[in-house]
Each structure stands twice: as structure tokens, then as C-alpha cells.
Amino acid sequence: MSEEVARPDKATGEKMQDTVPTGGVETTASTQSTTRQPGAPRNGGGAASVLRSGMGRNVGLVVALVLLCIVGVATAGDTFATGANVLTILRLAAVVGVVSIGMTFVITGGGIDLSVGAMLALASVWATTLATQQMAADYGVIFMVSTALLVGAACGLVNGLLVAYGKIVPFIATLAMLAGARGLAEIISDRKTQIITVNPFLDLFGGSFLGVPVLVWMFVIVAALGWVLLNRTTFGRRTFAVGGNAEAARLAGIKVQRHTVALYVLAGLCCGIAAVMLMARTTTGSSTHGQLYELDAIAAVVIGGTLLSGGRGTIVGTVFGVLIFTTLNNVFTLNNLSISAQSVAKGLIIVIAVLLQQRLAARATTP
């Protein structure tokens, strides 16, 4: 059968009917045409369109952060508004922030990683064993750093292989890594805290540059590199494609399995970097490092605007999400509120953020 489609006649400008085969059903398209002014928003008014955009979401995050700061000043007074406290917030945000950057890539690519905290702990323990520290004392701190990075990347590789080629659901694969990596860290350390005795390592990563802790500079560098990788490279475009529709990405020529592995390796590498930062901050390596970091990272990524279903991610939003949660924890601590109350607040914020995501996504798809 056929389908008739209206087209303008070149000579008269009037609508004519073209017949196009449809394989069994004959329909006639309306001859009425609609026009839209250039630059007019497709869905909703200009204000609504701005609010649904990446810039609008980031402005909302900035407003939320400012409101938190106002609450901090109102409840904790001068204690919150000091330069030392600001640096404390940034220092605490740096470690979780680097983990969250890696999590952003994984979630944008349609996956999730519950093992980031355990991978960080294993990397910190392996990099602070007596043998590793002795090698670092003999050959330089790069030996400790490279050990942490390699351990993190190796764990990420295992996750990626299980998800991409083993066809195991990311939730289950990374949950297994969470248990396995944490258990291996306990075995290696014998459940003891390992003290770092390599002073050059502590001097390098525990110091400051231009009055700002080195850890904060590391977070800034990782975030900047992550933004460039996600938004200005083929790797980033493929990440969006795989997260949006893996089958369509495969048909477009993207090696989905290989790319999925690369995303988990990248997340593991970020965990290795975060392990180095946490080792410098605490001067220890421990199997208890990174507990509940998976919750903090996922919360920061989600509140930042990255879709849990994949296909959309934002590094800038993740950075603001980390700062919001770290500032919230700081306000709670200064007001002597319990950790349990902090956890309840985080849970509520995550639920609200996901509900808002779903609502905005539904409006964006409404004609």
C-alpha cells in the first residue's frame, strides 16, 4: 500500500499529494503546515527551557550551595565563615570529588559502581605495605603512587570485564567487587592501620601550593581533565551514545563492550588517585578507608544532574554536588548533629533529586 505525503508544488506553491509506499497501510498526511519562528523553544516557554538546560541546573545547584552557606553562617556563626573552615570543606570534598568524577563517567555510560570505596581501601592498603614503602624510600614516592593507581585500575578492569563480557548486571558485579576488594584489603593489612613513614610522600601530597592544599589542586585538575574528556573528545561522545542506547551505539559502529570496560577502568583509576589523596590526608593506609564513599559519590552525581539511566552527564554538576554534600556535612558537624541525621538528610536529597530528574525528563519529552 502507500502513504500520501503533502509537498509544495514548485510552480504554484500549493500543497500536492505524494504517494509513498508503507508496506500495507495507506495513510494521508495533513495538508496543513505549521511554522515555528527561528529560535523559539520547542517545549514550553523560554524560562522553562532555561531551567531544563544544563546551565539552569547548574544555577540551581549554585543557589542551593549559597543557601547552605547562609544556613551555616546563621547556625554556626563565625566558625563556619572562616578561611580555615572553607579549606577544610574543600579538603574533605577533594577525595570524594575525584571518586565522583569517575562515577560520573560510569553512570553516564549506563552503568553503576558500588565498589569505589572498597577499591580505594585496597589501593591504600597495597600502597602502604612495608615492602611498598621500602621501595618508595629507595626509588621515590612515584612507586607508592603508581601502586595505588595500578591497583585501582586493575579492580576497574575486573569490573568492566564482568559487566561487558561476562554479561553480569553492573549492580551485582560491582557489589561482588565491593565485598572482594574490602576483604582482600583486610587480609593484606591484617585489619591493622598501616602508618606511612615515607616523609617525601607526605610532604608532597600533604602540603600546600599558593595557600591551597595540594589535595584541592589535584581535585581541580582531575575535574578539569574529566570535563574535557567528557565534553570535548570522541570518548565522551561515545559515552553519551552508549549510555543513551547501547544497541544504537553498536549499530553506529561503536565497540560498546570495549568502551564499557574503559569506563570502569577510568573509575578505578580515579579511585587510585583518591587513595593517594586519602593516604596523604590521614597518613595511613587502612581497610576501613572509603566506607560509604559509593553512597556519597552516587549522591553527588545524581544531585549534579547526571541521569541514573545513563545518556546524560555533567562534570560541573558533579563538582557542585560534592560541594553541596560536603558543606551539608560540615554544617551538621558544627551544629553537633549526629551522623545518622546526616545520612537521613542525604537520603532525602537523593530521592528529591531523582524525582526532579524524572519530572524534568517527562516535561522535556512532552510536545
Side-chain angles (χ1 to χ4, degrees), residues 58-90:
N58 290 337
V59 170
L61 293 173
V62 172
V63 171
L65 183 59
V66 171
L67 290 177
L68 270 178
C69 292
I70 293 175
V71 171
V73 172
T75 58
D78 295 337
T79 305
F80 178 85
T82 62
N85 188 56
V86 172
L87 290 179
T88 298
I89 292 174
L90 294 176

Side-chain angles (χ1 to χ4, degrees), residues 46-351:
S49 178
V50 170
L51 289 175
R52 287 194 292 266
S53 67
M55 180 179 296
R57 288 189 294 270
N58 290 337
V59 170
L61 293 173
V62 172
V63 171
L65 183 59
V66 171
L67 290 177
L68 270 178
C69 292
I70 293 175
V71 171
V73 172
T75 58
D78 295 337
T79 305
F80 178 85
T82 62
N85 188 56
V86 172
L87 290 179
T88 298
I89 292 174
L90 294 176
R91 191 182 294 109
L92 293 174
V95 178
V96 179
V98 170
V99 174
S100 300
I101 297 299
M103 185 71 79
T104 302
F105 279 90
V106 171
I107 293 180
T108 302
I112 197 167
D113 194 342
L114 302 180
S115 63
V116 289
M119 290 192 295
L120 185 155
L122 179 59
S124 74
V125 166
W126 210 315
T128 55
T129 60
L130 291 177
T132 306
Q133 292 198 59
Q134 184 60 50
M135 294 289 287
D138 295 338
Y139 301 103
V141 297
I142 189 63
F143 198 85
M144 289 179 66
V145 175
S146 59
T147 298
L149 298 183
L150 287 173
V151 170
C155 291
L157 177 62
V158 173
N159 281 337
L161 292 175
L162 290 175
V163 172
Y165 294 97
K167 304 299 182 182
I168 300 177
V169 178
F171 182 91
I172 300 300
T174 57
L175 185 63
M177 177 58 71
L178 182 154
R182 186 76 68 179
L184 184 57
E186 292 176 351
I187 292 173
I188 294 174
S189 64
D190 195 23
R191 296 190 176 183
K192 297 177 181 178
T193 299
Q194 299 174 166
I195 306 299
I196 297 177
T197 58
V198 182
N199 291 326
F201 176 88
L202 300 177
D203 294 339
L204 177 61
F205 295 103
S208 299
F209 178 69
L210 299 178
V212 178
V214 172
L215 300 184
V216 178
W217 287 113
M218 293 175 68
F219 177 33
V220 171
I221 293 172
V222 171
L225 292 176
W227 184 90
V228 172
L229 184 61
L230 187 62
N231 297 283
R232 292 293 183 268
T233 66
T234 302
F235 183 89
R237 289 191 292 272
R238 289 175 177 173
T239 300
F240 288 120
V242 170
N245 191 321
E247 180 61 19
R250 184 188 68 82
L251 294 175
I254 299 175
K255 298 185 182 299
V256 175
Q257 291 177 313
R258 184 184 301 176
H259 192 82
T260 299
V261 173
L263 291 175
Y264 282 96
V265 171
L266 180 60
L269 186 63
C270 287
C271 290
I273 297 173
V276 172
M277 298 167 67
L278 192 57
M279 287 156 51
R281 198 182 80 192
T282 62
T283 70
T284 63
S286 173
S287 60
T288 62
H289 280 339
Q291 287 187 338
L292 296 182
Y293 271 30
E294 53 276 357
L295 172 63
D296 293 338
I298 294 173
V301 171
V302 171
I303 196 176
T306 298
L307 287 180
L308 274 175
S309 56
R312 190 184 77 194
T314 163
I315 297 296
V316 175
T318 296
V319 171
F320 279 122
V322 171
L323 293 176
I324 286 173
F325 276 109
T326 307
T327 303
L328 179 67
N329 291 341
N330 183 262
V331 172
F332 274 55
T333 300
L334 292 178
N335 287 280
N336 297 319
L337 297 176
S338 66
I339 296 178
S340 299
Q342 297 179 28
S343 299
V344 171
K346 287 181 182 179
L348 290 175
I349 291 174
I350 294 172
V351 171

